[in-house]
Amino acid sequence: MRKIIHVDLDCFYAAVEEKYNPSLRGKPLGVGGPADSRSVLCTANYEARKFGVRAAIPSSRAVRLCPDLILIPPHFDLYKAESKKVRAILNDYSDQIEPLSLDEAYLDVTNSKLCSGSATLIGHEIKSRVKHELDLSISVGVAPNKFLAKVASDWRKPNGLFTIAPRQVDDFVKQLPVEKIFGVGKVTATQLHRLGIKTCGDLQLMPLAKLQQQLGSRAIDLKELSFGRDLRPVETQWERKSVSVEETFAIDIKTLAFAQKKIPELFTDWQERMMKGDYFSRLKGIQVKLKYSNFEQTTLEQSFVGKPTLDNFSELLEKAWARRQSSIRLLGIGGKLKCSQNSTPSTKSLNNDHLQLSLLPLQAFL
Ligand code: TTP
Ligand code: MG
């Protein structure tokens, strides 16, 4: 049985701002562009979150929700520097570390002899060192695999530590809302709810064939995760080469106009991923992927440097659609990334390029 730790700093950008300007502590704080621009928030501290202020909402809306909100522009170099310091602490506990973004990483501590071999004690020590040495708060999840470790780090956020021991997995997942499964966004969650599935326990009981009718190939992966099973290793060597998001539709889409309607939601998701991993500086191209009803697919790419807009993807979709003009079962958008010169935590990468679970080696469970 493996011992996996997932760490995620609390309101990271805002916490770094507070660290360097302690007078901000205790006050509602948002990091993002000015309220009179079209900017969105990168994050907000927990005081601001009480007002409904959170990442990705427009700054203008944030100040309407919380008139006393202090808005600070992001200082990315500072965040990268702090992220490196956290990474240096993590390095003391494992050499199998997979950074997911500037503020998140997995550690495999299965073979560690530190802290009497207790992953939970290692988690406590990491928390305490990040607090005392860096004046930052980090939440820690400990579990037998990556899926559960990530859920666990979020379970007691902020400043939490939560362990899901192997013997607790069965009971834990039974009550876990399906929304907690990564890759289950609003669309999939709604599909599942329609089938009467609210928790992983419900998902476990649903016959696979029925699930496949609704969700296609993803059904197998979701079913495995609903039992708390996830064999993905902690990957240390990868560098992300692309960031993409995609959606498989319950009913195939027949017209370009309908496909275009799906772009904004995908674009928002994609932009969030790109920002979170600080990938825009490495963007070299954008792409649109269409999978047709007969499972054939086409991908159209275009060179792009900088920050693409919704229109860029809409135009690309139009060109891709023109190739066949036939109904599609899946639409994806993404960006191709250049290799980084020196791998920082943000530019090292995820095991799976896509959010889609279908790329995971879950078949190995069967
Ligand atoms: P998160 O870990 O998602 O958020 P957080 O650390 O601010 O808050 P918490 O973990 O306590 O819930 O993202 C880490 C940083 O990435 C965040 O501080 C700012 C940045 N980010 C964006 O720039 N845009 C976004 O949409 C998101 C979600 C994060
Ligand atoms: Mg965080």
Side-chain angles (χ1 to χ4, degrees):
M1 193 63 78
R2 291 179 301 154
K3 296 177 191 173
I4 309 295
I5 295 180
H6 178 260
V7 294
D8 187 327
L9 287 140
D10 299 322
C11 57
F12 180 46
Y13 292 4
V16 174
E17 296 298 338
E18 288 179 14
K19 168 175 173 170
Y20 287 97
N21 183 356
S23 72
L24 296 169
R25 292 227 155 104
K27 298 173 185 160
L29 173 67
V31 177
D36 57 3
S37 68
R38 289 164 57 100
S39 318
V40 292
L41 282 197
C42 297
T43 194
N45 69 1
Y46 280 79
E47 282 81 2
R49 289 185 198 189
K50 287 179 202 151
F51 295 83
V53 174
R54 54 184 164 74
I57 67 167
S59 301
S60 54
R61 185 160 161 240
V63 294
R64 278 202 303 277
L65 288 167
C66 177
D68 291 334
L69 186 74
I70 301 171
L71 257 181
I72 291 191
H75 299 97
F76 295 110
D77 290 344
L78 213 53
Y79 311 145
K80 275 187 192 159
E82 292 300 311
S83 174
K84 269 196 178 148
K85 292 181 208 167
V86 175
R87 180 68 191 277
I89 291 178
L90 300 181
N91 282 340
D92 288 343
Y93 297 91
S94 176
D95 48 13
Q96 278 172 276
I97 298 178
E98 178 182 337
L100 299 176
S101 69
L102 285 181
D103 89 324
E104 241 185 287
Y106 290 112
L107 288 80
D108 187 327
V109 295
T110 309
N111 298 317
S112 178
K113 300 276 181 290
L114 298 167
C115 302
S116 318
S118 159
T120 300
L121 289 181
I122 292 175
H124 276 294
E125 204 170 297
I126 290 172
K127 262 180 86 59
S128 135
R129 284 189 59 191
V130 169
K131 184 78 216 159
H132 291 111
E133 294 174 26
L134 305 179
D135 198 13
L136 291 171
S137 156
I138 196 164
S139 291
V140 177
V142 182
N145 61 50
K146 294 206 309 192
F147 161 48
L148 292 173
K150 193 163 160 75
V151 171
S153 74
D154 197 46
W155 209 244
R156 295 277 183 264
K157 226 178 200 313
N159 197 23
L161 185 147
F162 190 69
T163 299
I164 305 169
R167 64 181 148 64
Q168 297 167 325
V169 169
D170 286 350
D171 287 340
F172 184 83
V173 291
K174 279 206 178 90
Q175 45 74 48
L176 189 68
V178 286
E179 287 82 354
K180 295 283 180 188
I181 302 178
F182 59 91
V184 173
K186 276 190 197 134
V187 176
T188 313
T190 310
Q191 285 175 314
L192 292 171
H193 291 171
R194 265 194 223 122
L195 292 171
I197 300 170
K198 291 254 157 56
T199 63
C200 287
D202 299 334
L203 194 49
Q204 291 174 7
L205 295 173
M206 182 61 58
L208 185 60
K210 190 157 181 203
L211 216 49
Q212 279 171 324
Q213 272 171 10
Q214 280 291 317
L215 303 169
S217 56
R218 300 179 65 200
I220 295 175
D221 304 338
L222 286 181
K223 192 110 179 153
E224 284 303 314
L225 291 170
S226 75
F227 285 96
R229 299 195 283 248
D230 174 11
L231 281 181
R232 291 172 304 155
V234 169
E235 295 274 358
T236 54
Q237 297 302 321
W238 273 71
E239 179 166 72
R240 202 185 241 288
K241 296 190 182 66
S242 68
V243 177
S244 53
V245 293
E246 56 190 44
E247 186 181 338
T248 304
F249 309 111
I251 301 169
D252 292 357
I253 285 188
K254 296 195 176 60
T255 64
L256 172 61
F258 248 85
Q260 290 287 18
K261 283 196 185 143
K262 297 288 179 186
I263 291 280
E265 194 182 332
L266 286 168
F267 180 67
T268 307
D269 264 11
W270 179 76
Q271 230 181 357
E272 208 173 278
R273 301 271 143 185
M274 289 290 288
M275 276 192 291
K276 203 169 170 211
D278 194 19
Y279 295 126
F280 275 115
S281 57
R282 289 174 54 211
L283 189 71
K284 64 173 184 182
I286 56 171
Q287 62 183 33
V288 164
K289 176 169 124 185
L290 304 178
K291 193 181 272 184
Y292 299 107
S293 303
N294 64 359
F295 284 87
E296 286 175 7
Q297 65 178 52
T298 186
T299 303
L300 183 59
E301 280 184 35
Q302 177 193 316
S303 306
F304 203 104
V305 177
K307 276 201 170 180
T309 61
L310 195 56
D311 288 346
N312 296 125
F313 282 104
S314 295
E315 283 162 25
L316 204 56
L317 169 61
E318 202 174 325
K319 288 182 197 153
W321 189 273
R323 285 183 169 174
R324 201 180 283 194
Q325 304 197 359
S326 128
S327 59
I328 56 168
R329 64 189 316 279
L330 173 149
L331 172 62
I333 67 168
K336 291 270 177 195
L337 306 181
K338 288 186 289 211
C339 293
S340 58
Q341 251 93 51
N342 49 2
S343 281
T344 65
S346 66
T347 54
K348 279 203 161 183
S349 92
L350 288 176
N351 166 26
N352 49 321
D353 260 1
H354 289 270
L355 289 178
Q356 281 276 25
L357 297 175
S358 49
L359 294 184
L360 306 182
L362 284 163
Q363 278 76 358
F365 284 115
L366 298 174

